[in-house]
């Protein structure tokens, strides 16, 4: 099993509906291919973790890379792992900010990520890209 974490930039700020559509398709595809993960959107930036069998994660990420809705993808980590950090979500999501602050719901959720490195990746992103 692997976990891949990347950041990218949306071409334009996505509406709630457009983001909802990405999540709908993601959840259906990921559930079918044993991929779990979490997507945070802050302004035009995305941070996403994908975890599951390596072929499934790489195949999913290949599709994501070709998606014209975002660009400037940078892989932060791609590690072989024993445990899932987001096992309960085919693709979890929590609105990242409200009125200039990272939402307490997202902070609580990030606090519960067991792996310190993954938690730090999400904490740093939430602080930098809350808007
Ligand atoms: C930021 C972002 C995250 C995405 N995450 C996923 C995902 O986790 N799983 C997935 O199947 N598609 C995800 N997508 C959508 C894919 O890029 C793609 O549109 C979708 O998988 C359908 O691919 P297809 O049109 O080749 O069938 C994401 C797109 C964006 C912009």
């Amino acid at each position: 099993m692997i976990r891949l974490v990347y950041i990218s930039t949306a071409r334009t700020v996505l509406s709630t509906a457009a983001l909802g559509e990405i999540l709908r398709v993601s959840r259906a595809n990921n559930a079918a291919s044993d991929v779990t993960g979490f997507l945070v959107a802050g302004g035009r930036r995305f941070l996403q973790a994908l975890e599951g069998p390596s072929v499934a994660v790489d195949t999913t990420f290949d599709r994501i890379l070709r998606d014209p809705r975002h660009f400037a993808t940078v892989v932060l980590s791609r590690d072989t792992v024993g445990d899932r950090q987001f096992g309960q979500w085919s693709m979890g999501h929590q609105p990242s900010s409200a009125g200039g602050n990272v939402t307490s719901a997202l902070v609580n959720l990030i606090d519960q990520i067991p792996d310190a490195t993954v938690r730090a990746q999400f904490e740093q992103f939430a602080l930098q890209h809350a808007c």
Side-chain angles (χ1 to χ4, degrees):
M1 186 160 72
I2 63 165
R3 180 168 48 250
L4 188 153
V5 181
Y6 75 87
I7 52 171
S8 67
T9 304
R11 297 236 170 249
T12 56
V13 176
L14 292 182
S15 64
T16 307
L19 186 59
E21 180 60 13
I22 288 175
L23 288 168
R24 189 186 65 76
V25 172
S26 299
R27 286 169 179 156
N29 288 340
N30 297 356
S33 55
D34 196 21
V35 171
T36 54
F38 203 85
L39 176 67
V40 189
R44 286 175 56 205
R45 300 299 171 116
F46 294 114
L47 172 74
Q48 187 175 32
L50 299 162
E51 52 191 19
S54 58
V55 172
V57 169
D58 287 338
T59 304
T60 301
F61 187 55
D62 281 348
R63 277 201 317 275
I64 294 172
L65 276 177
R66 289 196 301 269
D67 194 317
R69 290 172 287 191
H70 65 166
F71 68 107
T73 304
V74 177
V75 175
L76 300 183
S77 59
R78 183 188 180 283
D79 299 315
T80 299
V81 293
D83 297 319
R84 292 181 191 255
Q85 302 290 305
F86 307 101
Q88 67 272 49
W89 290 297
S90 55
M91 187 44 60
H93 175 71
Q94 184 67 243
S96 58
S97 61
N101 295 308
V102 180
T103 60
S104 56
L106 182 61
V107 170
N108 288 340
L109 210 143
I110 291 171
D111 280 348
Q112 288 164 38
I113 297 173
D115 183 274
T117 307
V118 179
R119 195 166 61 243
Q121 286 170 329
F122 277 75
E123 271 167 2
Q124 199 184 3
F125 180 90
L127 289 173
Q128 280 178 351
H129 299 296
C131 55

